[in-house]
Amino acid sequence: MVVQEGDGNGWVVSDAGDRRWGRFGAAGLLLRAADPTDPDIPLVLLQHRAVWTASGDTWALPGGARDSHEDAAVAALRETEEEAEIHPADVVVRAERVTSRMPGTVWHRPGLDMRHVARMLSRLRPDQTHPESDDDNATTGTPPTSGSPSQAPSGQPDAPTRSGPRIPPLVQISEDRVEWTYTTVVADAPSALETVPNNESLELRWVPETLVSELPLMPAFAAAWADGLRTEPVELVVDVANVLGSRPNGWWKDRAGATATLLDELGAGMPRTLELPADADDPVRFGWVARAHAVIEGAARAAEHSGPFVVHRAAGEGDDSIVDLATELDGGPRRVVVVTADRGLRARLPEGVVFVGPRTLLG
């Protein structure tokens, strides 16, 4: 199979005439970074979309069409590099979530004259709006019916072009049904990285998460944001013995040294986004780890750590210390999340405390 860059360009069109960009679906990057002025509220990278793009003059995530050889993360990272000059190596992917679906068929524009597109872009004013033009009829976005490429589904022909070239009509590639999906790739950056916008953006901005919904968002992004993409502040409690034991890397040969290495490894990724268990009664599916605690016991108590974890050296059983700590923190300003796979320990935790397994933290 020959891989062709850009082969995802095209539309999926529903029976009702709704269009979604990306023959193989689309993906966007929800990138967070710590706000040095408020550790509990992360910054989110948003793109103010140029008016000529789909849902132009609204705010959304950097992203775009997936090519046939790409998974969602690769596509989202590529698009973000193209649109913001943020390099994939500078971010850490935490999760993926399909936030939109639509069945339809694939359409494209054969013979698109790129000189015409360049001329259209050159007319844009600094505010990215443009006056009425002879070519407006060609950019309304309504696909023609498969039997009549020059007519819209309503049966009304395209308005005549008085002069100059026009964008060719959409043509259906095949009648085979596909399901278009948009995947939101959740990732973290070590800081609010510098960005350089391309011509698809009016502006790129790091926005405090609590202010995202105040912007005029792209409708699809607004719905996804309200349906589980937001975070809430988390206070993390790590059952270090359980997490350490989940990886057979020889930790038992030097428990204190292995514990110190683990804490340094985890601390290097803080603060961070943490995926939370699904809860039908709670729209928040992600936490922002603002504070983190590590409970260590036995021989591991000799471990040293100078990173972001508050280290608790249990005098007795580590489980008892974890229950006491979680109970003390429960009801505070942050959601308490305990990292452990120990079912007995989970059963002892207060009702309001969330638990996740080691894999959620280790990735």
Side-chain angles (χ1 to χ4, degrees), residues 349-360:
L349 295 172
E351 185 177 353
V353 172
V354 175
F355 52 80
V356 297
R359 286 187 180 181
T360 303

Side-chain angles (χ1 to χ4, degrees), residues 106-289:
V106 177
W107 299 61
H108 75 146
R109 295 186 191 274
L112 180 62
D113 184 353
M114 297 309 295
R115 290 175 299 174
H116 169 71
V117 174
R119 209 160 31 242
M120 179 181 71
L121 293 178
S122 70
R123 292 201 311 267
L124 300 182
R125 300 197 301 260
D127 63 356
Q128 290 287 291
T129 61
H130 57 86
E132 297 293 327
S133 74
D134 293 334
D135 303 322
D136 285 347
N137 68 87
T139 59
T140 56
T142 304
T145 60
S146 58
S148 178
S150 64
Q151 290 193 338
S154 64
Q156 298 299 318
D158 289 339
T161 301
R162 290 188 293 274
S163 63
R166 63 187 297 275
I167 295 179
L170 283 172
V171 174
Q172 190 172 15
I173 292 178
S174 126
E175 295 184 359
D176 293 340
R177 305 290 292 177
V178 300
E179 183 182 48
W180 180 91
T181 59
Y182 185 95
T183 303
T184 300
V185 178
V186 179
D188 294 329
S191 62
L193 302 171
E194 291 187 11
T195 60
V196 179
N198 67 0
N199 67 345
E200 296 182 42
S201 306
L202 284 166
E203 179 187 359
L204 294 166
R205 184 190 303 176
W206 288 96
V207 179
E209 182 161 319
T210 52
L211 302 181
V212 168
S213 59
E214 297 183 8
L215 295 170
L217 303 179
M218 174 189 284
F221 174 56
W225 182 255
D227 191 34
L229 291 182
R230 298 166 296 166
T231 66
E232 63 177 325
V234 158
E235 192 134 16
L236 197 69
V237 178
V238 180
D239 179 358
V240 174
N242 190 265
V243 175
L244 194 65
S246 69
R247 297 195 295 189
N249 57 4
W251 56 266
W252 53 87
K253 299 175 184 177
D254 177 9
R255 189 163 180 175
T259 296
T261 299
L262 175 65
L263 293 181
D264 290 344
E265 175 189 337
L266 297 179
M270 302 289 183
R272 58 163 289 173
T273 305
L274 187 74
E275 191 169 16
L276 302 178
D279 184 343
D281 298 325
D282 188 351
V284 178
R285 298 289 184 266
F286 296 95
W288 178 252
V289 181

